[in-house]
């Protein structure tokens, strides 16, 4: 992927790591293969993309780039939902990885910034995919989400725009965002 970006666009100045998935696999009864899949996508792929983006910026002397890791409120609080406990563990890893990345970028004396954006419930197909094999659980979640007015993709895009528009001397380390009806 990064070779194609280099060929077509010379490289990466901004990387938004937005891939993520969850499986309904509690800690006491979950499948190892599903846990591994979540680690591969939510943790390893994000880390590989951040590393590749940094290398692209470094080789072209880009000193004002940005790496944004899309996270989740589940990366800051463990909710009472057994199906999401392992997912939360991967998202806590994203929180730690983003802070580690920010510290390493600073140690390299670069002005490349790293930010973790952690939205709450967003109206996407995420939950329907999670509960594709359990219509009862999907229905419960959908009824719950109607009560709290989930964020939209535009809301999340606005958070990204806010972070990218911060002045060069401002480092937005983390941005937690959720619908006001949630609080």
């Amino acid at each position: 992927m990064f070779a194609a970006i280099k060929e077509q666009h010379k490289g990466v100045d901004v990387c938004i790591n937005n891939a993520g998935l969850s499986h309904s696999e509690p800690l006491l009864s979950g499948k190892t293969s599903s846990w591994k899949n979540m680690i591969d996508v939510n943790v390893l792929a994000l880390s590989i993309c951040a590393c590749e983006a940094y290398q692209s910026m470094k080789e072209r002397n880009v000193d004002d780039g940005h790496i944004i890791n899309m996270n989740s409120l589940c990366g800051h609080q463990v909710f009472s939902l057994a199906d999401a406990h392992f997912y939360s563990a991967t998202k806590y890893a994203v929180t730690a990885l983003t802070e580690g990345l920010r510290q390493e970028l600073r140690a390299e004396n670069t002005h490349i910034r790293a930010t973790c954006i952690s939205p709450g419930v967003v109206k996407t197909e995420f939950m329907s995919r999670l509960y594709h094999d359990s219509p009862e659980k999907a229905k419960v979640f959908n009824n719950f989400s109607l009560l709290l007015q989930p964020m939209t993709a535009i809301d999340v895009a606005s958070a990204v725009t806010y972070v990218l528009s911060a002045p060069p001397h401002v480092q937005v380390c983390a941005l937690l965002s959720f619908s006001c009806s949630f609080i």
Side-chain angles (χ1 to χ4, degrees), residues 14 17 22 24 27 55-56 66 88 133 145 152-153 168 170 180:
V14 174
N17 281 317
S22 183
S24 179
L27 296 173
Q55 294 303 322
S56 174
H66 210 126
S88 280
D133 59 348
S145 68
T152 66
V170 174
C180 290

Side-chain angles (χ1 to χ4, degrees), residues 4-170:
I5 292 169
K6 182 176 182 176
E7 183 179 312
Q8 293 176 12
H9 304 286
K10 306 281 188 262
V12 174
D13 291 359
V14 174
C15 175
I16 301 173
N17 281 317
N18 191 40
L21 63 84
S22 183
H23 298 290
S24 179
E25 300 291 353
L27 296 173
L28 298 178
S29 60
K31 294 184 199 90
T32 304
S33 61
S34 294
W35 293 342
K36 184 176 179 338
N37 185 230
M38 284 188 269
I39 288 173
D40 286 348
V41 172
N42 299 355
V43 179
L44 290 175
L46 172 135
S47 299
I48 292 166
C49 286
C51 181
E52 292 289 333
Y54 170 70
Q55 294 303 322
S56 174
M57 292 177 212
K58 184 178 174 183
E59 76 181 28
R60 295 174 302 110
N61 296 315
V62 171
D63 195 43
D64 61 349
H66 210 126
I67 299 169
I68 297 175
N69 292 331
M70 299 305 297
N71 198 352
S72 168
L73 286 181
C74 290
H76 303 272
Q77 179 177 344
V78 178
F79 294 94
S80 294
L81 180 61
D83 291 340
H85 288 157
F86 195 88
Y87 171 76
S88 280
T90 68
K91 291 303 182 174
Y92 265 83
V94 171
T95 301
L97 288 167
T98 307
E99 177 57 19
L101 178 62
R102 189 192 67 74
Q103 290 179 17
E104 288 187 33
L105 289 167
R106 187 173 178 190
E108 291 292 318
N109 293 316
T110 178
H111 295 101
I112 298 168
R113 295 179 276 183
T115 300
C116 182
I117 297 179
S118 301
V121 177
V122 180
K123 186 178 171 101
T124 66
E125 67 283 347
F126 185 87
M127 293 308 288
S128 61
R129 286 183 181 168
L130 173 62
Y131 291 129
H132 71 278
D133 59 348
S134 177
E136 315 82 49
K137 287 183 180 181
K139 184 177 179 181
V140 168
F141 179 81
N142 288 333
N143 289 339
F144 174 71
S145 68
L146 291 174
L147 296 174
L148 52 90
Q149 186 181 356
M151 295 171 56
T152 66
I154 296 296
D155 297 327
V156 176
S158 294
V160 171
T161 301
Y162 170 76
V163 167
L164 290 174
S165 66
H169 67 281
V170 174

